[in-house]
Amino acid sequence: VYIGAILGVVMSFISAWALNQLKLANSASQEVIEGVTALIAVVVLFWVSNWMVSKSESEVWDAYIKSKVGEASDKGSTAALAFTAFLAVYREGAEVILFYQPMLNGDYDRGAVWAGFIVGCICLVFVYLAIHYFSIKLPLKPLFTATSILMFIMSIAFLGSGIKELIEGDVIDMTSPEWLQTIIPFNDTLDVLGVYPVLETLIPQLILILLTVTIFVIQKWQRNNHIECGLVAIIFGSIGLHKFYNGKYGRGMLYILFCWSGIPALIGILEGIHYLTETQEQYEEELKPKPKKKREKKAKAAK
């Protein structure tokens, strides 16, 4: 486990260096690269924030961790357990790289960014010591909820700054009417939040806020009902809300990314009809995680 975790940290630093070299090698299109990186960070942050809300209950989180460790242990290989630890750490490292890039390349105080990074690392050391040596349990629900809110705020800020970078890279035209500038002026405080009097940044931010509120309401309202899911799929299938309803956040993000094509809306209608016409038992059976074929073959061979 420790070897996998250390390798995950090392690969995170290597990835950060490689991304920085890519930007230096393409200095002519640096704004475009920074803009695309910021938008990727928005997708990752938005997905993780929703995922953390779904895992905010202690029982759900414990079940998730046990299932992942159990999968590695069942294989009877220390390499599999090391690889699981590596992926857990490197995934977090990749997220850190993505959402630190806009802060380090934008109009932010780099000293404050690195100060926050160091303070965060020190806090994590104390958290580890408290859990490992004193068996202190973290209050998962308030911790995950607070972290999710912070990630959502950052995703809003990065969405605005990422689109602004694309505007500066002449990829997108800028529309900034005077009446909007009287309501939202250009200033340093709003720049930190990625809020500008520009329609190309404000409209996507408003859509993301509306989508987040809707997903939050669905998560609180969620009862795993096939009729509710079917109606959500038919009405809001174009942005994949039925996938969020079912806890399939990765697929939901794919629907959002390709909503402009109209294909998710068509698929949503078909899936909605499917959910409405099946029984509750069939719907619940579909939501159950599918066992891996390899594990099934090993079980048969053991018998």
Side-chain angles (χ1 to χ4, degrees):
V1 171
Y2 284 117
I3 290 174
I6 292 172
L7 288 176
V9 173
V10 172
M11 280 301 300
S12 298
F13 279 102
I14 293 175
S15 299
W17 173 82
L19 181 60
N20 188 59
Q21 293 299 116
L22 175 65
K23 290 190 300 182
L24 292 177
N26 297 273
S27 57
S29 56
Q30 185 171 348
E31 292 84 1
V32 177
I33 295 175
E34 292 175 359
V36 171
T37 304
L39 294 181
I40 295 175
V42 171
V43 175
V44 173
L45 285 171
F46 187 73
W47 182 84
V48 172
S49 65
N50 283 280
W51 178 86
M52 292 187 74
V53 169
S54 71
K55 298 292 185 292
S56 60
E57 298 294 340
S58 299
E59 295 81 5
V60 179
W61 176 250
D62 289 341
Y64 175 79
I65 293 299
K66 288 178 181 178
S67 67
K68 293 300 180 184
V69 175
E71 289 176 5
S73 299
D74 289 345
K75 296 178 181 179
S77 171
T78 55
L81 195 58
F83 185 66
T84 302
F86 167 79
L87 287 180
V89 175
Y90 183 65
R91 186 192 67 179
E92 301 299 329
E95 293 170 7
V96 170
I97 293 167
L98 285 173
F99 66 72
Y100 264 66
Q101 289 298 319
M103 289 190 290
L104 293 174
N105 296 314
D107 299 327
Y108 301 98
D109 184 354
R110 291 194 176 188
V113 173
W114 287 116
F117 177 80
I118 294 172
V119 171
C121 291
I122 293 173
C123 290
L124 285 175
V125 170
F126 282 103
V127 168
Y128 168 77
L129 295 175
I131 294 174
H132 188 70
Y133 292 104
F134 301 103
S135 300
I136 295 176
K137 293 185 177 180
L138 292 177
L140 291 180
K141 187 171 184 177
L143 177 65
F144 277 21
T145 301
T147 307
S148 179
I149 293 172
L150 176 61
M151 287 185 172
F152 167 69
I153 295 174
M154 293 176 67
S155 65
I156 294 293
F158 291 168
L159 180 59
S161 60
I163 295 176
K164 183 187 176 186
E165 292 288 350
L166 294 179
I167 291 173
E168 293 177 353
D170 296 328
V171 176
I172 301 174
D173 295 329
M174 185 178 75
T175 306
S176 180
E178 293 184 2
W179 62 267
L180 186 58
Q181 295 185 29
T182 58
I183 301 173
I184 306 175
F186 285 103
N187 59 49
D188 295 336
T189 303
L190 293 178
D191 282 351
V192 173
L193 298 174
V195 178
Y196 311 99
V198 178
L199 293 178
E200 286 76 11
T201 61
L202 283 177
I203 293 176
Q205 286 175 322
L206 291 174
I207 293 174
L208 186 61
I209 292 172
L210 178 61
L211 181 62
T212 302
V213 172
T214 305
I215 293 172
F216 178 79
V217 172
I218 286 179
Q219 286 173 339
K220 296 301 180 183
W221 166 52
Q222 181 176 347
R223 290 178 293 179
N224 288 339
N225 184 280
H226 73 107
I227 295 177
E228 290 177 355
C229 184
L231 293 175
V232 171
I234 292 173
I235 299 172
F236 300 106
S238 60
I239 52 176
L241 283 187
H242 59 297
K243 295 300 181 183
F244 290 98
Y245 180 91
N246 289 332
K248 308 294 184 181
Y249 301 107
R251 296 181 184 179
M253 291 304 301
L254 287 176
Y255 276 63
I256 293 173
L257 290 175
F258 294 98
C259 64
W260 53 270
S261 66
I263 297 176
L266 177 59
I267 297 176
I269 293 173
L270 296 176
E271 289 180 322
I273 295 173
H274 169 70
Y275 292 137
L276 291 174
T277 54
E278 68 179 351
T279 64
Q280 180 64 24
E281 290 74 17
Q282 290 173 328
Y283 170 72
E284 292 176 357
E285 187 66 25
E286 285 184 8
L287 294 183
K288 291 181 181 179
K290 300 296 186 296
K292 294 183 178 179
K293 294 182 179 180
K294 290 184 179 180
R295 293 178 64 184
E296 289 180 349
K297 290 180 179 179
K298 285 185 178 180
K300 291 180 179 179
K303 289 180 180 179

